[in-house]
Amino acid sequence: MSTAEDLPVLGAPVDRVDGPLKVTGQAPYPSDVDLPGQAHAALVQSTIAAGRITDLDTTEAEKAPGVLAVLTHHTVPRLPRGPMTSLGVSPPAPLQDDRIRHHGQHVALVVAESREQATAAARLVRVEYAPADPVLDFDDPRAVSVDDPWGLDSHRGDVDAGLASADVTVDAVYTTPDNTNNPLGLFSTLAAWEGERLTVYDATQWPAMVRETLAEVFGVPEVSVRVLSPFLGGGFGAGLRAWPHVILAVQAARDVGRPVKLVLTRPQMFTSVGHRPKGVQRVRLGATADATLVAIEHHSTSLLAVEDDDYEPFAAGSAVAYACPHVVTADRQVRANVPAPVSMRAPAHAQGNFALESAMDELACALDVDPLELRLRNHADVHPALGLPWSSNALRECYAVGAERFGWSRRPARPRSRRDGHWLVGQGMAGVSYPWYQAPSLARVTVTADGGATVASSGMDIGTGTYTVLTQLCAHLLGLPLEQVRSDLGDSDLPEAPQAGGSGLTSALGSAVADACERLLGALLELVRDDPESPLHGSDPEDVVAAGGGLRRRGDPGRGETYAAILARHGRPQLGADGASTPAQPTELGMALAGAFGAHFAEVRVDEDLGLVRVSRVTTVIDGGRILNEKTARSQVIGGVIGGIGMAVFEDTITDPTTGRIANATFGDYLVPVHADVPDLDVTFVGEPDRASALGVKGVGEVGLVGVAAAIANAVHHATGVRVRSLPITLDALL
Amino acid sequence: MTSTPDVPPAPPQSDPGAAEITTAFTVNGTPRTVGADTRVTLLDALRDRLGLTGTKKGCDQGACGACTVHVDGRRVLACLMLAAQCDGREVTTIEGLSREGRPHPMQDAFVRHDGFQCGYCTPGQIMSAVALLREGRAGTDEDIREFMSGNLCRCAAYPNVVAAIKDVAREGGDHAHL
């Protein structure tokens, strides 16, 4: 048996199925949920970066109107740390002792009848500290460092010999600052205990992980914990952890015996839910005179919190970006008294690509060869480390189509060649090879008595369009109109899916949904094949297709019946099937698993007198394998590109070098791109369905961001002749 | 060393916040009365007291636009206005934009052009966009971008938001609707 062969809904740029809820204000984000009898909580955070609490006086706060409880390290029981995840150890449990590890660490939580009362009372908590001298940067001799934290350091060939054999070399140091994820939605946790049963509405990208964490921390079975995150006001990685404030809200709800709601403030979003950590990278490249790469050496050092993990192998991507015989990549993380970093859209690769692709541009200048030509000459036709063919790779097409659409061939070779009045105009480009990632996933698909179907999964839609593409996929595979399929997501009681992160959810969860549909169709076919009353009685499975809201004879659509009819005749209110997907293994397939590829071409205008940088247009071409919905996929890439513009020219979380306090923790001071900063963006998809993915899908949530910073920096160099190796590119670097 | 968080000084013992004040105003065409703490913002009154959670809190500092509503027909950041200041005024939120069960053309256009991703800033973007048309500031792409710049979108659906606004402007704006 096979499913409908024409693809009326798969790939079509259909409108988001959750769109009507979102544009009418009806979509329930975690902070929108209220429970009867709920109390409100407000955090008190440390005002030193390192040291100890010597006294914590809650007397006044406890006497304030409406206050129900004040949680401190004196009141909170000893809690175990959450479990290990694929992103490393869980954050430390909150309020366990008197130690301060970073500025803005939670030191107390006030619970009161109203939000205003909790906030006012939080100001009455008096904290005395014995401050210590904090470690705040890489070069502090007291800092503890971790070499190769993720086991991804790599070497092949002999990089020193490679560099020695090179006709031209580049040796440069690049720095990237802390950036803060800053999703628009303030993170919120609403926790309610009923006996040993715990329900939590949480701003998470990973409901299953939060459930496991809370079960472990509070010593209850996982089945008695339910975590809901059906809608989330953005995350960009900030929702990939069970943060200390989540644990605190749950503890508070247990203490006061009522539901407790905690909504972070915007300044708290800078210290409590992660950030992209600052880093320093040194890249050495060597090439022969004919522009053939002979050596890549890429070292990175980035900042890490005192007791957390963070997946940031900046340099790892350089091992597989180009065909090159001699390569070394090495990453180091340095522990400091800073808030915990976390993945922020394209973790590690956003930063690592900026260094590598800037260095490639420098190499092109040194070789006097076109930057695009340099990349084409060193294109990795096979996976450079494994020597295997890629499961899909349309990077050359990305370059070709992008160059054509952008008009790259008309770009003058020399910097400072074009001006428009007082604006210097420059063009730059960068390539992207995003890594493959996938985790195991489950899903359930159920057909119901009304003839429609439901997809169910704990996986969630962070805004990528998961609701929509799963609905499309299920509708396609079951031969149903879109309106008859519903997706229920973001509920840990539903079959477990991985995080909305790593550009891996669509492939993992989509494959599980496809598997569930196949099993469901098999079960339905069993029902009808042996049923004399069915028009499909005795049919060969190969001759049956899913179409027209039911099962049909291939080539004879009049012969068949709807799911509703099948269920009704067998007296079943519904019939469901569980599906699963597991990540492919490259050795079994004889292929290197490919992530998305891409190319960005950027044009900037730099005010010669003022140093102002304006990004005037960007052309982006992405190979994302099979695109399930061109409208939502395009939005993903647009969002990524603009995130890249932010990284390139605006975003910079500034930490005071003596106190460790973040100095710009508001949207007024931490600049993100706004409407007026965003030029015309040209986004195109190329490529073929990926051969290693059941659906042919490669994720596109992150690839759009990677490479934008380098393309812009390279364009700034082309405009001005000034090479800026430190982000963000602000006017002071160009004056 | 004694230290308190980086916030304004604690209120005095005779905490004015403890005082309640009753505010009568019109919300989405319906007269409403809110009895609340004098510190309660319009945003919190809408969300917590009136159950109108379509208006979002993104910063509570007047910097992100997620809480944009209309007060007496003008766009206002609901986090920067106290509920008590709204006495006798007319407030419109995202929930009040539809007419006779039909979405406002701007809401339809946002769906059609995919003018959002996570959707959190969307009510504010739409309220701003509707006001923008009324203000006559949707004539050019540059104007739309400039006068929508108070509404941040971290998913960065900006080009699609601009396309949605242009689409509605081309169709004659919202004059037929509001």
Side-chain angles (χ1 to χ4, degrees):
Chain A
M1 159 164 194
S2 65
T3 54
E5 277 156 21
D6 62 326
L7 313 177
V9 288
L10 196 63
V14 303
D15 295 343
R16 266 169 218 271
V17 298
D18 51 342
L21 280 181
K22 287 178 173 175
V23 299
T24 54
Q26 304 303 307
Y29 296 86
S31 60
D32 296 337
V33 181
D34 290 315
L35 291 174
Q38 77 186 12
H40 296 266
L43 287 162
V44 180
Q45 298 188 312
S46 75
T47 54
I48 64 166
R52 289 186 181 276
I53 298 169
T54 53
D55 189 39
L56 206 161
D57 181 1
T58 60
T59 319
E60 267 188 82
E62 283 167 11
K63 284 191 298 196
V67 170
L68 301 167
V70 182
L71 281 68
T72 70
H73 65 282
H74 297 304
T75 76
V76 171
R78 297 295 74 89
L79 298 170
R81 198 165 175 154
M84 189 63 122
T85 76
S86 54
L87 292 171
V89 296
S90 285
L95 306 190
Q96 293 297 291
D97 52 41
D98 60 0
R99 288 189 307 138
I100 300 298
R101 301 178 201 84
H102 68 87
H103 202 288
Q105 176 184 318
H106 311 324
V107 297
L109 183 79
V110 178
V111 187
E113 295 288 349
S114 76
R115 174 201 319 283
E116 291 78 13
Q117 289 170 333
T119 305
R123 294 175 186 159
L124 301 175
V125 174
R126 295 273 172 264
V127 188
E128 288 189 28
Y129 299 100
D133 192 17
V135 173
L136 293 171
D137 218 337
F138 310 109
D139 47 12
D140 192 312
R142 297 168 300 158
V144 175
S145 71
V146 191
D147 288 320
D148 192 15
W150 296 93
L152 291 172
D153 285 5
S154 65
H155 73 275
R156 61 176 186 265
D158 179 342
V159 87
D160 289 328
L163 285 165
S165 72
D167 297 314
V168 175
T169 58
V170 164
D171 181 351
V173 173
Y174 303 89
T175 62
T176 53
D178 288 327
N179 288 168
T180 301
N181 306 48
N182 267 323
L184 250 280
L186 296 172
F187 271 29
S188 164
T189 303
L190 169 58
W193 289 93
E194 282 177 77
E196 286 299 283
R197 286 197 62 81
L198 171 65
T199 303
V200 179
Y201 298 83
D202 187 39
T204 180
Q205 294 169 238
W206 198 351
M209 179 276 295
V210 176
R211 175 177 75 162
E212 183 189 355
T213 303
L214 295 177
E216 199 159 314
V217 169
F218 291 97
V220 294
E222 270 193 52
V223 292
S224 70
V225 180
R226 185 178 187 193
V227 176
L228 294 130
S229 181
F231 291 93
L232 178 61
F236 316 105
L240 292 173
R241 296 240 165 226
W243 295 109
H245 75 269
V246 179
I247 312 275
L248 271 182
V250 173
Q251 179 65 45
R254 190 176 243 186
D255 287 354
V256 302
R258 289 166 57 173
V260 169
K261 184 171 181 176
L262 171 62
V263 183
L264 300 187
T265 65
R266 181 53 56 183
Q268 288 166 357
M269 291 290 287
F270 282 75
T271 56
S272 312
V273 294
H275 62 276
R276 176 186 284 153
K278 67 195 287 190
V280 178
Q281 303 176 70
R282 182 180 179 196
V283 178
R284 291 204 294 168
L285 300 178
T288 52
D290 66 350
T292 303
L293 275 172
V294 290
I296 299 173
E297 186 186 54
H298 189 166
H299 289 268
S300 91
T301 303
S302 63
L303 221 49
L304 188 62
V306 175
E307 290 184 8
D308 287 84
D309 286 347
D310 178 38
Y311 181 82
E312 301 286 352
F314 284 23
S318 292
V320 297
Y322 292 102
C324 180
H326 306 294
V327 177
V328 165
T329 70
D331 293 300
R332 192 166 70 102
Q333 290 180 306
V334 173
R335 296 195 179 278
N337 294 109
V338 296
V342 76
S343 299
M344 176 170 161
R345 204 167 190 172
H349 297 279
Q351 304 99 311
N353 177 286
F354 165 66
L356 178 66
E357 289 297 287
S358 293
M360 285 293 282
D361 200 68
E362 298 200 43
L363 182 64
C365 291
L367 286 163
D368 199 17
V369 60
D370 183 273
L372 175 57
E373 181 57 28
L374 176 65
R375 286 163 174 89
L376 290 170
R377 277 193 211 174
N378 295 284
H379 180 265
D381 293 335
V382 296
H383 189 282
L386 301 173
L388 293 170
W390 297 97
S391 55
S392 59
N393 186 337
L395 180 56
R396 282 186 186 278
E397 198 180 348
C398 293
Y399 287 135
V401 171
E404 174 64 28
R405 295 182 73 91
F406 186 79
W408 183 259
S409 63
R410 295 189 290 279
R411 172 186 183 265
R414 300 276 151 249
R416 291 186 80 94
S417 294
R418 287 178 56 199
R419 65 164 62 233
D420 176 8
H422 58 103
W423 295 98
L424 303 172
V425 182
Q427 299 178 332
M429 56 84 56
V432 193
S433 303
Y434 204 72
W436 173 93
Y437 172 77
Q438 197 176 316
S441 183
L442 304 176
R444 183 181 304 132
V445 174
T446 306
V447 286
T448 46
D450 61 4
T454 306
V455 176
S457 166
S458 76
M460 54 83 61
D461 186 337
I462 194 181
T464 49
T466 313
Y467 278 112
T468 309
V469 297
L470 295 184
T471 300
Q472 284 178 277
L473 183 63
C474 179
H476 162 63
L477 294 173
L478 296 185
L480 284 163
L482 279 181
E483 306 72 48
Q484 276 187 275
V485 178
R486 195 183 79 218
S487 295
D488 290 335
L489 301 177
D491 178 349
S492 70
D493 275 2
L494 301 177
E496 181 169 343
Q499 71 274 28
S503 297
L505 184 62
T506 302
S507 184
L509 181 49
S511 299
V513 167
D515 183 51
C517 286
E518 193 180 325
R519 289 168 191 273
L520 177 61
L521 290 171
L524 286 160
L525 192 58
E526 295 240 326
L527 283 182
V528 299
R529 203 173 46 189
D530 302 328
D531 179 357
E533 291 180 45
S534 170
L536 295 168
H537 177 242
S539 290
D540 183 336
E542 288 304 311
D543 291 335
V544 179
V545 295
L551 300 181
R552 310 274 161 203
R553 190 65 167 264
R554 187 190 303 276
D556 183 8
R559 188 166 158 199
E561 55 183 335
T562 64
Y563 301 126
I566 298 170
L567 292 178
R569 204 171 55 255
H570 289 85
R572 290 176 181 256
Q574 60 183 44
L575 183 64
D578 290 318
S581 71
T582 50
Q585 297 299 322
T587 43
E588 288 170 20
L589 292 167
M591 291 186 272
L593 301 172
F597 296 93
H600 300 286
F601 297 81
E603 182 178 275
V604 302
R605 298 159 76 83
V606 180
D607 186 301
E608 190 176 15
D609 301 321
L610 302 176
L612 289 170
V613 179
R614 292 283 182 265
V615 180
S616 47
R617 64 190 177 101
V618 180
T619 294
T620 296
V621 183
I622 300 293
D623 162 19
R626 183 199 292 276
I627 300 299
L628 293 179
N629 181 328
E630 194 154 334
K631 184 176 278 190
T632 55
R634 184 170 181 277
S635 292
Q636 280 298 290
V637 175
I638 285 175
V641 170
I642 297 170
I645 292 174
M647 180 183 176
V649 296
F650 296 119
E651 299 190 37
D652 187 0
T653 308
I654 297 165
T655 297
D656 181 275
T658 52
T659 63
R661 174 181 178 272
I662 294 175
N664 60 340
T666 72
F667 271 141
D669 299 304
Y670 180 89
L671 303 185
V672 301
V674 304
H675 275 285
D677 298 315
V678 177
D680 288 330
L681 303 178
D682 176 27
V683 173
T684 306
F685 292 102
V686 297
E688 300 293 326
D690 185 76
R691 293 183 293 152
S693 154
L695 297 173
V697 166
K698 302 193 283 188
V700 296
E702 291 165 303
V703 64
L705 187 147
V706 186
V708 175
I712 289 172
N714 297 340
V716 167
H717 175 261
H718 187 240
T720 63
V722 178
R723 178 68 62 182
V724 183
R725 300 188 183 88
S726 179
L727 297 181
I729 303 168
T730 47
L731 51 83
D732 50 305
L734 297 168
L735 289 176
Chain B
M1 172 177 168
T2 300
S3 184
T4 52
D6 305 313
V7 292
Q13 279 305 302
S14 57
D15 181 359
E20 289 240 332
I21 189 162
T22 301
T23 307
F25 56 133
T26 304
V27 182
N28 300 329
T30 307
R32 305 294 295 257
T33 303
V34 172
D37 193 318
T38 47
R39 295 168 296 193
V40 172
T41 61
L42 172 59
L43 175 60
D44 287 336
L46 291 169
R47 291 178 54 83
D48 299 345
R49 270 70 176 183
L50 299 176
L52 295 170
T53 54
T55 306
K56 302 303 181 197
K57 185 183 285 186
C59 70
D60 220 14
Q61 296 175 321
C64 79
C67 66
T68 305
V69 298
H70 299 170
V71 175
D72 292 340
R74 298 179 60 190
R75 44 180 167 162
V76 156
L77 299 173
C79 75
L80 289 189
M81 190 163 190
L82 293 169
Q85 292 174 283
C86 291
D87 200 57
R89 294 177 189 245
E90 202 167 300
V91 177
T92 307
T93 71
I94 190 75
E95 291 92 344
L97 219 48
S98 63
R99 285 288 178 275
E100 291 155 9
R102 286 201 46 75
H104 188 281
M106 193 65 78
Q107 292 172 308
D108 281 339
F110 266 63
V111 173
R112 210 161 51 240
H113 290 278
D114 212 32
F116 53 87
Q117 291 175 37
C118 83
Y120 195 86
C121 73
T122 311
Q125 299 273 356
I126 290 175
M127 296 309 288
S128 235
V130 168
L132 185 84
L133 259 59
R134 220 181 278 152
E135 294 159 11
R137 286 168 164 164
T140 64
D141 287 14
E142 289 64 35
D143 270 1
I144 295 172
R145 286 173 179 156
E146 183 64 30
F147 292 107
M148 286 296 292
S149 281
N151 290 84
L152 305 185
C153 174
R154 194 58 165 149
C155 300
Y158 297 127
N160 296 353
V161 170
V162 173
I165 295 171
K166 278 164 66 178
D167 202 352
V168 179
R170 222 175 7 243
E171 286 168 6
D174 66 345
H175 301 301
H177 197 79
L178 279 182

